[in-house]
Amino acid sequence: MEVDQKRWHITLSEIAVFFMIISTLLLMPSVGKTDAASEMQQGVEYVKLRLYPQAIDSFRSVLSRDPTDVNALFHLGNVYKLQDELELAIETYKKILSNAATKHRTVNAQLYGFTHLALAEIYCKQSQLKVAEQHAIEADQTLSNSAETQYRLGYIYTHQAKFDKALVAFNKTVARKPDFAEVYEWLGLIALMQQKPREAISNYKIAIQKKPFVQSAYYNLAKAYRLLGDMESAKTHLKLFQKMKAYYDQTYTIEGALAEDPKNTALRLKLAETHLEHKNIPAAVTTYQILLRFNPEHVKGYDKLGRLYMELNIPNRAIPMFQKVIELNPDTMEAHVRLGWLYSNQKVYDKAEFHLKKVIEKMPKHTLAYHGLAEVYVKQERLEKAVGIYQKITELDPDDKDARTALRNLERKKKGE
């Protein structure tokens, strides 16, 4: 099958990490077990930073005091799975199921279901599809609204060449989670194997639209076009595949180096820039977030992340980033300009005015700050103030057409025209 097997396994690993974070909040030990709670939270933080040995130490410490703590067992099993220590992961997960079977310890139904789902993923990696299917069915019975359980069943049935069952499972997956991009890749792959290139093309286009940075989709789309005899489209998508593969290879290499040296700020910045070059904004955001966890005084990291939040139109996240930039380096005028713009858009005019005036005090010829300040006054109907600012801009830059136009419009408005 023309598919990136490693990436498919990563998908559910990411889901497992997400559930680890959720389960920390839902299943945290009660008051009186604050040490265990603290270690559990620390372990989850280590996982997010991919510091797996430290995470293992945290979860093992909890288990050293209570070997039946199913929450810690689940966390530990996920770390083993993320490290591809599959036998240790299986052994750990089975302790959870054993606890549930003997009623030795109450097991949250959601955790029980995700344990079966994790085991299904592992047994798929080991090509033990029958065993994987049993665990996926058990997971689906417990997590009846989970798209991931049906996705896993679809994966298993596809590898067993049970395409009718696979299609039913994948259709249930998208019914539960319409944006599940990987499903459309599998639907495309099944269509290819059944010699239905038009159907394959339709599904791969949806997959790429929903998740544009997956190399295998472009390769298989090129293959589908070749089957139709559309060689021009095939060449186009083969070039896109090569571009995505180069991107994947770049990031894979950097991430490999970061696994050995996770606190390497230069490498982390390089990874973020690589994501940005390919317009993978969510991956860049995550990279900067991790960088700042390792280096909480990195001014450039806060600035870059603030700019990305602005690009994503998330002002409430952008503002704290630029505030942190100024806290660490008060002379960073660009951060003041951006805060002025952000606060102006939020109609918090006093703060917008404060930051823009800070820039003008330090850089009296910074026309962009004057423009921002004038706009703040216009929005507040403080027209005399705005006129004065625009006049100042024209003194600084007589060729500023925007300032001259705004000035004429304000003069007319003042005259009631």
Side-chain angles (χ1 to χ4, degrees):
M1 296 181 184
E2 300 288 353
V3 67
D4 185 347
Q5 296 294 341
K6 182 168 185 174
R7 185 175 52 74
W8 295 116
H9 298 312
I10 288 172
T11 301
L12 281 182
S13 295
E14 291 171 348
I15 292 164
V17 171
F18 169 78
F19 184 67
M20 288 173 71
I21 298 166
I22 297 301
S23 66
T24 301
L25 300 175
L26 294 177
L27 308 174
M28 193 60 68
S30 59
V31 176
K33 296 186 178 181
T34 54
D35 288 345
S38 176
E39 286 178 320
M40 203 82 76
Q41 288 172 334
Q42 185 62 67
V44 170
E45 185 66 20
Y46 283 139
V47 173
K48 288 190 284 185
L49 297 174
R50 300 183 185 180
L51 297 174
Y52 299 135
Q54 292 91 328
I56 288 172
D57 287 343
S58 294
F59 300 138
R60 280 179 174 170
S61 179
V62 176
L63 290 166
S64 69
R65 294 190 294 275
D66 182 2
T68 64
D69 189 318
V70 290
N71 194 25
L73 286 168
F74 183 80
H75 284 28
L76 182 59
N78 272 311
V79 178
Y80 286 141
K81 180 161 61 69
L82 289 166
Q83 288 188 302
D84 270 339
E85 296 182 15
L86 301 185
E87 292 305 323
L88 283 173
I90 290 171
E91 179 185 339
T92 306
Y93 286 130
K94 283 187 174 180
K95 288 178 182 178
I96 298 173
L97 301 182
S98 176
N99 285 340
T102 61
K103 297 184 179 179
H104 180 67
R105 174 132 186 176
T106 302
V107 177
N108 177 281
Q110 197 177 25
L111 184 145
Y112 178 82
F114 273 94
T115 300
H116 277 292
L117 184 59
L119 284 167
E121 180 189 352
I122 290 171
Y123 285 120
C124 282
K125 285 186 177 183
Q126 296 180 331
S127 298
Q128 297 186 53
L129 297 180
K130 278 288 184 185
V131 182
E133 181 182 358
Q134 292 168 5
H135 283 289
I137 290 171
E138 185 70 33
D140 191 57
Q141 289 172 351
T142 307
L143 306 168
S144 57
N145 293 319
S146 170
E148 286 75 20
T149 56
Q150 284 296 322
Y151 169 79
R152 182 51 51 181
L153 284 168
Y155 174 101
I156 292 164
Y157 294 139
T158 302
H159 283 76
Q160 292 174 329
K162 297 177 181 178
F163 298 133
D164 289 342
K165 281 190 170 184
L167 291 172
V168 170
F170 286 136
N171 285 327
K172 285 183 179 179
T173 305
V174 295
R176 295 176 182 181
K177 186 178 178 182
D179 287 333
F180 208 129
E182 291 83 357
V183 170
Y184 294 99
E185 290 191 66
W186 285 106
L187 291 172
L189 186 63
I190 291 170
L192 272 181
M193 290 188 289
Q194 293 180 330
Q195 298 296 303
K196 299 176 181 178
R198 293 188 187 280
E199 188 176 322
I201 289 168
S202 176
N203 281 301
Y204 280 122
K205 282 184 174 180
I206 295 172
I208 289 169
Q209 180 185 13
K210 293 180 179 295
K211 201 167 185 178
F213 302 102
V214 179
Q215 54 179 318
S216 58
Y218 295 95
Y219 181 86
N220 287 326
L221 188 51
K223 185 175 179 180
Y225 278 120
R226 282 200 302 271
L227 288 174
L228 278 180
D230 186 348
M231 301 311 294
E232 193 62 35
S233 295
K235 287 179 183 178
T236 297
H237 286 88
L238 196 56
K239 286 180 181 178
L240 289 170
F241 160 71
Q242 290 165 345
K243 180 181 178 181
M244 287 299 117
K245 185 178 184 303
Y247 168 49
Y248 175 87
D249 290 344
Q250 281 178 287
T251 56
Y252 185 81
T253 299
I254 298 170
E255 286 171 351
L258 282 169
E260 299 296 323
D261 185 11
K263 295 183 180 180
N264 189 318
T265 299
L267 276 176
R268 194 77 62 183
L269 286 170
K270 184 178 180 182
L271 179 61
E273 290 300 322
T274 302
H275 287 314
L276 288 174
E277 284 171 14
H278 291 82
K279 303 189 185 304
N280 190 348
I281 304 300
V285 166
T286 299
T287 304
Y288 285 125
Q289 288 172 336
I290 293 174
L291 181 151
L292 291 171
R293 286 196 185 102
F294 281 120
N295 189 348
E297 295 190 355
H298 195 275
V299 176
K300 185 177 180 181
Y302 288 107
D303 182 66
K304 290 282 191 179
L305 190 51
R307 292 177 189 226
L308 288 179
Y309 284 141
M310 284 183 71
E311 189 172 333
L312 293 169
N313 194 26
I314 314 177
N316 290 335
R317 290 190 181 181
I319 287 170
M321 296 299 107
F322 295 122
Q323 288 174 333
K324 192 67 179 179
V325 170
I326 291 169
E327 177 187 325
L328 294 169
N329 184 1
D331 293 329
T332 309
M333 292 299 106
E334 185 65 24
H336 280 291
V337 172
R338 290 180 180 276
L339 283 170
W341 187 87
L342 287 162
Y343 281 127
S344 178
N345 282 352
Q346 291 192 324
K347 299 181 180 180
V348 186
Y349 298 124
D350 56 336
K351 290 185 177 181
E353 183 177 359
F354 169 81
H355 286 286
L356 292 166
K357 282 185 173 180
K358 277 285 184 184
V359 179
I360 292 168
E361 286 173 14
K362 288 279 187 179
M363 304 175 69
K365 295 184 179 181
H366 197 299
T367 56
L368 183 60
Y370 283 106
H371 271 287
L373 186 58
E375 287 179 23
V376 168
Y377 290 144
V378 169
K379 288 177 180 179
Q380 294 177 292
E381 294 292 325
R382 298 164 69 183
L383 302 187
E384 289 292 345
K385 284 273 192 182
V387 167
I389 297 298
Y390 281 124
Q391 287 174 340
K392 180 65 176 179
I393 296 172
T394 58
E395 290 173 14
L396 293 170
D397 183 4
D399 295 327
D400 192 320
K401 294 180 181 178
D402 291 335
R404 290 192 175 280
T405 300
L407 194 54
R408 284 196 299 271
N409 291 338
L410 283 175
E411 293 291 356
R412 281 198 293 268
K413 188 172 182 179
K414 282 174 62 183
K415 293 176 181 178
E417 294 181 13

